Structures are given as structure tokens and as C-alpha cells.
């Protein structure tokens, strides 16, 4: 406490200091310093509004604004130290402001509580985080689009149960991830939209007696509207849960990509190589080139999902309105956002770096009876009911595999023994490229469909 009054939050209600271990547990400055730009923006909007409403003088508001900008710059540059005894980012900023400009600084907190202040800062952070993740998602979508363009004509085995199933164009596989990320993007934008109500003016829990203008601060901070219940506004963190849930889905999608890259780069598949910038070696085995980053992207999913679980557990059962438990919603959010951001950036680089072994993929399409469905479809065109055609084709696969040959190698006599509808015209049906291009329905792997999807993605990702 200084001679002019307290700079911490406790004031003269308290005689002694907080127990040192309790102070450490109580302080949030080690993580909430991330809120600095949002806290300063919120305070500038608040001071400007106070002056416009005649609650403080215009001169004081100007001094506060200039002082806040200076303090922000000094804290960012490390010229001012963060003080743990000031507990959090809000008190650090205000304390330094008072040191810098004196009397006017003591007027900043008029008509405001740290409860509506932190609720405001966190919503601003969540909205900025959403925008950042959306931009990074688009970066990865661009990398996927690049690979899709490069591999329209590359044939690949499509899988179910990780068993070769039907042939596809490799572009279709890359575009599947683009489709997932497109939904993820929409979810993040949706979460930011719902976090777009300004809680500023809700006070500690019951708003304020002062004639503030909530719409003015909301507009200055880029919010689209104001919250409608002060208890809810200071007590709610569901916007954090939503953001992290959307981020967790992004990470789950990235983990699938990571897993496939691990598989594809294995000796067993040898479908692809990841650029050296994204691989590491072994300290023991000189030959190793490990897909560590793909594995980590897969592995980081645990902590992002954990963040969501942690948030849900924290908010569950809290009485209205603000409770200090809510401080615990900050770290999981930061960790989830920062983890997903880094994984998106690395995934984009890794996807762009991929070198596909086109010949090996094509060879894999030729082994494993991937055109068995075509045999059934062929019989259907000859009037055979699909269930029966399916059974006939299955029988032929069995015969072929017993002889150690592919379907195309079975002679007409063998085919006719199984079903009389077979004829010379079967051969083109067994061409995988034809099998693919017959699947010319919206969302299918046919060339025309793929080109349309590429054009759609390009229009979204490369405007004009
Ligand atoms: N660090 C606190 C939080 O994150 C700021 C709000 C503190 N408010 C209070 N009444 N103690 O929730």
C-alpha cells in the first residue's frame, strides 16, 4: 500500500498481506498476461465512454488513454516487470497506469469491476483466437488444395477398416480433409459470433448506478451487441467451452491426418515421404527418418480434449454469479488455442512437403480385388439382382485368391461357370480408372466431380 492509497485489489479492508503460498495460488499473472492488448483496449474504450458520459473529464480520459498505451508498450518490451503481488493483468496495468499518470489513473476503474473486465477481455481473446485459427485452417486447406490439384490423375486405394476397398483419385482423399476443416472453420466462426456480446457494464454482478453507455463500449471493442443479464455476463464462460470444443474437433481431424501420414510413410505402405523439415532421426539407428511431427499432431489431441474436459468440470455446479473458479478456465483455453494453432501451421507445411510415390499407390490399386464391386455392378446391368450379383462377385474373388490371381486374370469359361451373364465386355469394367469415373455423382471420386470440388475450394481460398 502506498501513501496515496492501495494499488492492489484488497485495499484497507485488509490489515495484513496474503499468505505467500496462497498468493502464488491466487495469482494469475503468469498466464493472464496474454490478455494485455485486450485489457488495454477494454480500458481505453471504458475511459472514453466515461468521458463522453461526463463521468470523468475529457482531460483525464486522454491521460488514461496515453498512459495505458505507454504501459502496454513498456510491459511488452520488458521495460516494466510483471508483479506477482499485483495478482493479475488487470491490477498490473492499473497499478502501472497510476504510477505513470497519478490521480487520473485512479478514476479508470469507475463503474467497472474486474469481473466484467475479465469477462470482456476473455471474450475479446476468444474472438481473436477464433480469427487466428480460421486463418491457419485456411492455410492448411490451401496446402491440401495444392496436393489435390497435383494428384487428380493419381490413383489410390480407398480404404474401409484399413482394408483396400475401392479405387479413388488421390485428390479425393486430400479433399476429404479440406471438407472436415471447412466445417471446423464454420464452427469457430459460430463460436466467435456468440462471444460477440459485450459484458462490459455488468459490474461485479449487478451493473452500476452510474449513467454508463454500454453500447458505446461494445461498438468500440467490435462487439455486435451487449449481454442482457449482468449475473450471466460475469458468470458465464460457455463461450470458452465452445471455442475449445471447436478447437478439439480441429485437433481430432488433424490427428487423423497425422495417423495417415505415419502409415503412408511406413516401410509397409511407402506411399509418401514427408519433407525433411518435418522428420527427425534416431539417436541410435542411423537409417531412421521418423515422422515425429505427424505423431505429435496425433498425440496433442489428448491435451486439447483434456482442456475441454477441464473446462466443463470447472463450470459445472458453480452458483451465480462470478466465482474465482472461473480463473481456471483461462489456462485450458490458452493451451488449446496455442496447441491447435501450432499443429495447424505444422500440418500445412507438412502436407505441402509431401512427396507421393505415385507408382506404388497405383500398384496398390491393382492388388486386392478393389474392382470386385464393378463385377457386381456389371451383372446388375445384365439384369441380375444386386444381392445375387454381390454373391457371384464374392465367389469369383474367392476363386481368384485361391489361384493367386486378380479378377481380370480369370478366363471367360470360369466366369461363365459362376454365372452365364458374363461376356467379353466385362474387361473394361475392371479398369480402376473407369470404375472411378463411373462414380460421377455429387461428392464422388469421378474426374468431373473432383475438378468441380477443386474449383469450389479455389474460389473460397483464392478469391478473384
Ligand atoms: N483473474 C481473475 C479471473 O480470471 C480476474 C477477476 C478477479 N475478480 C475477483 N473478484 N477476484 O477470473
Amino acid at each position: 500500500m502506498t501513501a496515496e492509497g492501495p494499488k492492489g485489489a484488497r485495499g484497507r479492508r485488509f490489515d495484513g498481506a496474503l499468505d505467500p503460498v496462497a498468493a502464488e495460488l491466487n495469482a494469475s499473472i503468469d498466464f493472464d498476461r496474454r490478455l494485455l492488448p485486450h485489457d488495454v483496449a477494454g480500458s481505453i474504450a471504458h475511459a472514453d465512454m466515461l468521458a463522453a458520459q461526463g463521468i470523468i473529464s475529457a482531460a483525464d480520459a486522454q491521460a488514461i488513454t496515453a498512459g495505458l498505451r505507454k504501459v502496454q508498450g513498456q510491459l511488452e518490451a520488458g521495460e516494466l516487470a510483471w508483479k506477482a503481488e499485483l495478482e493479475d493483468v488487470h491490477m498490473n496495468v492499473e497499478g502501472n497506469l497510476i504510477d505513470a499518470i497519478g490521480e487520473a489513473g485512479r478514476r479508470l476503474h469507475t463503474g467497472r469491476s474486474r469481473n466484467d473486465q475479465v469477462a470482456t477481455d476473455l471474450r475479446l481473446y476468444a474472438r481473436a483466437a477464433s480469427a487466428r485459427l480460421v486463418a491457419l485452417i485456411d492455410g492448411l486447406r490451401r496446402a491440401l488444395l495444392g496436393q489435390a490439384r497435383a494428384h487428380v490423375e493419381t490413383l489410390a486405394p480407398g480404404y474401409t477398416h484399413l482394408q483396400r476397398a475401392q479405387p479413388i483419385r488421390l485428390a479425393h482423399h486430400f479433399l476429404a480433409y479440406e471438407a472436415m476443416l471447412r466445417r471446423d472453420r464454420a464452427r469457430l466462426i459460430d463460436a466467435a459470433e456468440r462471444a460477440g456480446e459485450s459484458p462490459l457494464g455488468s459490474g461485479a454482478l449487478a451493473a452500476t448506478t452510474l449513467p454508463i453507455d454500454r453500447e458505446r463500449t461494445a461498438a468500440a471493442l467490435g462487439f455486435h451487441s451487449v449481454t442482457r443479464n449482468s449475473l450471466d455476463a460475469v458468470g458465464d464462460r460457455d463461450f470458452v467451452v465452445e471455442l475449445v470444443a471447436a478447437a478439439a474437433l480441429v485437433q481430432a481431424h488433424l490427428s487423423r491426418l497425422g495417423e495417415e501420414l505415419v502409415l503412408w510413410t511406413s516401410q509397409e505402405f511407402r506411399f509418401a515421404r514427408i519433407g525433411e523439415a518435418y522428420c527427425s532421426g534416431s539417436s541410435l539407428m542411423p537409417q531412421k527418418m521418423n515422422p515425429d511431427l505427424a505423431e505429435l499432431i496425433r498425440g496433442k489431441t489428448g491435451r486439447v480434449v483434456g482442456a475441454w474436459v477441464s473446462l466443463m468440470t470447472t463450470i459445472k455446479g458453480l452458483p451465480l454469479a462470478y466465482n474465482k473458479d472461473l480463473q481456471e478456465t483461462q489456462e485450458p483455453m490458452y493451451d488449446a488455442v496455442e496447441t491447435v494453432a501450432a499443429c495447424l501451421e505444422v500440418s500445412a507445411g507438412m502436407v505441402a512437403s509431401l512427396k507421393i510415390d505415385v507408382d506404388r499407390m497405383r500398384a496398390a490399386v491393382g492388388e486386392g480385388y478393389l474392382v470386385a464391386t464393378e463385377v457386381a455392378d456389371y451383372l446388375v446391368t445384365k439384369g441380375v439382382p444386386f444381392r445375387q450379383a454381390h454373391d457371384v462377385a464374392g465367389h469369383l474373388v474367392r476363386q481368384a485368391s485361391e489361384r493367386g490371381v486378380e479378377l481380370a486374370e480369370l478366363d471367360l469359361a470360369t466366369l461363365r461357370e459362376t454365372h452365364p451373364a458374363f461376356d467379353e465386355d466385362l474387361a473394361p469394367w475392371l479398369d480402376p480408372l473407369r470404375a472411378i469415373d463411373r462414380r460421377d455423382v455429387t461428392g464422388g471420386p469421378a474426374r468431373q466431380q473432383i475438378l468441380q470440388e477443386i474449383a469450389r475450394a479455389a474460389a473460397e481460398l483464392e478469391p478473384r
Side-chain angles (χ1 to χ4, degrees):
M1 199 187 290
T2 65
E4 314 91 88
K7 273 187 282 174
R10 280 153 61 88
R12 277 199 279 171
R13 171 73 173 79
F14 292 85
D15 221 359
L18 207 59
D19 166 83
V21 180
E24 206 174 307
L25 193 63
N26 194 45
S28 50
I29 192 60
D30 282 348
F31 51 86
D32 70 10
R33 60 180 68 176
R34 288 174 180 79
L35 298 175
L36 176 64
H38 307 301
D39 196 71
V40 166
S43 288
I44 289 174
H46 182 66
D48 169 77
M49 179 277 293
L50 290 176
Q53 296 297 102
I55 301 169
I56 65 172
S57 71
D60 279 352
Q62 273 165 24
I64 288 171
T65 299
L68 284 168
R69 294 216 167 100
K70 184 165 159 223
V71 165
Q72 179 181 358
Q74 288 174 325
L75 283 167
E76 279 168 355
E79 290 160 23
L80 280 173
W82 294 102
K83 294 200 193 103
E85 63 273 21
L86 289 179
E87 207 179 306
D88 56 27
V89 64
H90 324 293
M91 301 309 299
N92 267 270
V93 169
E94 197 183 323
N96 279 304
L97 177 71
I98 292 169
D99 281 347
I101 67 168
E103 191 63 16
R106 287 194 189 84
R107 298 188 193 278
L108 169 62
H109 211 52
T110 310
R112 186 178 75 168
S113 156
R114 270 190 299 163
N115 295 353
D116 59 346
Q117 191 179 354
V118 71
T120 303
D121 293 3
L122 290 176
R123 279 171 172 81
L124 291 173
Y125 174 92
R127 281 162 71 75
S130 161
R132 178 169 166 225
L133 293 179
V134 163
L136 289 167
I137 282 178
D138 286 349
L140 175 53
R141 289 171 72 209
R142 262 181 225 107
L144 290 161
L145 174 62
Q147 290 290 1
R149 277 197 178 113
H151 293 288
V152 173
E153 305 304 338
T154 302
L155 299 199
Y159 293 83
T160 65
H161 312 270
L162 201 55
Q163 306 284 327
R164 286 179 201 165
Q166 289 175 341
I168 55 170
R169 290 174 184 275
L170 181 56
H172 201 48
H173 199 106
F174 286 118
L175 289 171
Y177 283 98
E178 193 273 329
M180 295 176 220
L181 290 162
R182 197 161 168 263
R183 289 193 298 279
D184 290 334
R185 176 187 203 286
R187 268 185 284 270
L188 285 164
I189 290 171
D190 198 42
E193 178 69 12
R194 238 182 322 278
E197 295 183 346
S198 172
L200 198 55
S202 300
L205 75 161
T208 175
T209 56
L210 297 169
I212 59 167
D213 182 348
R214 295 192 60 204
E215 280 72 19
R216 184 184 177 104
T217 47
L221 293 170
F223 287 111
H224 53 65
S225 55
V226 298
T227 54
R228 311 299 306 184
N229 183 299
S230 62
L231 296 177
D232 173 52
V234 294
D236 150 57
R237 294 292 181 273
D238 58 15
F239 64 93
V240 178
V241 178
E242 264 193 277
L243 175 72
V244 171
L249 260 173
V250 174
Q251 192 64 35
H253 288 153
L254 295 185
S255 80
R256 299 184 73 170
L257 179 64
E259 164 67 2
E260 295 210 306
L261 295 185
V262 170
L263 284 174
W264 285 10
T265 54
S266 70
Q267 287 294 308
E268 284 66 23
F269 275 77
R270 277 194 283 130
F271 279 177
R273 275 185 307 134
I274 296 171
E276 284 184 18
Y278 301 97
C279 294
S280 46
S282 158
S283 57
L284 179 83
M285 301 162 284
Q287 86 283 10
K288 291 297 284 292
M289 184 125 120
N290 296 326
D292 289 39
L293 274 303
E295 294 166 71
L296 269 178
I297 284 165
R298 187 177 59 187
K300 295 275 184 193
T301 314
R303 66 194 284 165
V304 182
V305 174
W308 180 83
V309 174
S310 166
L311 289 169
M312 288 297 286
T313 313
T314 300
I315 64 168
K316 182 208 165 287
L318 284 184
L320 290 177
Y322 177 84
N323 300 274
K324 192 65 175 253
D325 311 48
L326 294 177
Q327 182 167 289
E328 284 296 306
T329 61
Q330 294 199 32
E331 284 172 285
M333 172 167 71
Y334 302 141
D335 191 67
V337 167
E338 284 160 21
T339 300
V340 175
C343 288
L344 279 167
E345 198 167 343
V346 169
S347 297
M350 203 157 54
V351 165
S353 81
L354 278 183
K355 292 272 176 292
I356 302 293
D357 189 332
V358 170
D359 295 336
R360 248 190 93 81
M361 272 200 171
R362 177 65 187 83
V365 170
E367 290 163 19
Y369 312 107
L370 278 78
V371 290
T373 313
E374 309 315 299
V375 175
D377 286 353
Y378 167 87
L379 288 174
V380 167
T381 66
K382 303 279 174 183
V384 181
F386 180 78
R387 264 299 142 238
Q388 193 190 344
H390 177 277
D391 179 66
V392 169
H395 181 68
L396 287 173
V397 168
R398 191 185 174 98
Q399 280 187 295
S401 83
E402 276 166 10
R403 293 184 203 175
V405 298
E406 285 298 318
L407 287 169
E409 294 168 74
L410 293 175
D411 54 85
L412 193 57
T414 309
L415 295 174
R416 281 203 170 132
E417 257 168 47
T418 314
H419 199 285
F422 281 113
D423 218 328
E424 301 284 2
D425 60 349
L426 174 68
W429 285 74
L430 302 184
D431 171 10
L433 200 53
R434 201 194 133 144
I436 292 169
D437 286 343
R438 282 180 60 230
R439 289 164 164 70
D440 196 5
V441 300
T442 304
R447 191 164 193 281
Q448 261 334 97
Q449 299 296 333
I450 298 294
L451 293 179
Q452 263 178 44
E453 270 305 282
I454 287 176
R456 191 266 313 148
E460 285 178 25
L461 295 165
E462 301 159 356
R464 262 154 304 185

